[in-house]
Amino acid sequence: MPVSFPVSNDTGRLPSRRGAEVRRRVRAMSATTSHPPLRAVPFRAPTARLALKAVSPSPGHVELDGAWWPRSRDLTHELSALADVLDPLWGRITHIAVNPRHWPIIPRKILVNGHVVKAGWFTSEQDPHKILLLSYTAGRWDLLVIPPETSAPSAARLMAAASANTGPPMTATALMTAEQAGGTSSSSEATSSRPGRLMVGV
């Protein structure tokens, strides 16, 4: 049977029970505080402002699937906020296409929420007021891009018109032209109370 002997300290006296207990507590505290403390991550509310049609996009004949009202013309920054909302709904966005008329800088690749989105641009083929989004899992969507400097009442009318399921389909440029002429107010009034549409950030 092993026998243990007390060890003297620097003063030549045997350590007291109280001193040994304090040292054990210090060692225990050092062990528990060696790991970095837990850090609370605040909830990030969606910052994108957009309105989407209630039904799933139907390929081939739907001109617009909704409207997006970015806060700036910084495509790299704005795309991250847009993906926060669209990725859970439509699947991860992998490619986009825009017209360079309203986007001063268009990187070839944009890092969005941990993955890369490839960006392309077209001058004549792409409506300058529209963004095209592609997902490997769910397909293609087209959104009206409302200029950042648009007033809130005008943006609300454009969002309602672009996300309406009734009426003849209109291109993004046609909607912008109609709004400038004061022609989208009737569409907004007709669809503002319609259930099922998804509106975020407005």
Side-chain angles (χ1 to χ4, degrees), residues 100-177:
R101 182 186 301 180
H102 300 300
W103 300 102
I105 300 177
I106 306 174
R108 292 288 186 180
K109 296 181 179 180
I110 303 174
L111 184 62
V112 177
N113 301 337
H115 69 280
V116 174
V117 174
K118 295 182 179 180
W121 57 270
F122 303 93
T123 54
S124 58
E125 298 89 350
Q126 178 86 8
D127 190 314
H129 296 287
K130 185 169 72 172
I131 183 172
L132 183 154
L133 305 110
L134 296 175
S135 168
Y136 283 138
T137 58
R140 164 181 171 168
W141 292 267
D142 298 85
L143 297 179
L144 165 70
V145 180
I146 302 173
E149 63 273 11
T150 304
S151 66
S154 180
R157 290 190 294 268
L158 287 166
M159 285 186 169
S163 59
N165 289 317
T166 58
M170 297 180 67
T171 65
T173 294
L175 280 177
M176 292 298 302
T177 302

Side-chain angles (χ1 to χ4, degrees), residues 6 15 20 23 30 36 42 46 48 54 56 59 63 68 81 83 92 98 104 118 127 129 140 199:
R23 284 193 293 274
S30 300
S56 300
E63 183 64 36
W68 175 40
R92 177 175 291 184
V98 296
K118 295 182 179 180
D127 190 314
H129 296 287
R140 164 181 171 168
M199 300 190 71

Side-chain angles (χ1 to χ4, degrees), residues 3-186:
V3 178
S4 60
F5 297 92
V7 180
S8 63
N9 54 21
D10 294 339
T11 62
R13 292 176 298 180
L14 295 177
S16 64
R17 289 186 177 180
R18 183 177 182 83
E21 180 66 22
V22 169
R23 284 193 293 274
R24 282 197 296 270
R25 290 181 181 178
V26 171
R27 286 195 296 269
M29 291 176 63
S30 300
T32 56
T33 57
S34 60
H35 299 286
L38 295 177
R39 181 170 56 90
V41 178
F43 171 75
R44 184 174 67 173
T47 58
R49 301 177 296 187
L50 71 157
L52 305 175
K53 289 184 176 179
V55 297
S56 300
S58 301
H61 67 275
V62 173
E63 183 64 36
L64 292 171
D65 300 298
W68 175 40
W69 186 19
R71 301 176 189 275
S72 71
R73 298 189 186 278
D74 184 343
L75 185 59
T76 300
H77 176 74
E78 297 295 336
L79 189 60
S80 294
L82 182 62
D84 281 342
V85 179
L86 296 186
D87 281 0
L89 295 174
W90 292 351
R92 177 175 291 184
I93 302 301
T94 57
H95 295 73
I96 66 167
V98 296
N99 189 304
R101 182 186 301 180
H102 300 300
W103 300 102
I105 300 177
I106 306 174
R108 292 288 186 180
K109 296 181 179 180
I110 303 174
L111 184 62
V112 177
N113 301 337
H115 69 280
V116 174
V117 174
K118 295 182 179 180
W121 57 270
F122 303 93
T123 54
S124 58
E125 298 89 350
Q126 178 86 8
D127 190 314
H129 296 287
K130 185 169 72 172
I131 183 172
L132 183 154
L133 305 110
L134 296 175
S135 168
Y136 283 138
T137 58
R140 164 181 171 168
W141 292 267
D142 298 85
L143 297 179
L144 165 70
V145 180
I146 302 173
E149 63 273 11
T150 304
S151 66
S154 180
R157 290 190 294 268
L158 287 166
M159 285 186 169
S163 59
N165 289 317
T166 58
M170 297 180 67
T171 65
T173 294
L175 280 177
M176 292 298 302
T177 302
E179 173 58 28
Q180 292 170 1
T184 62
S185 58
S186 59

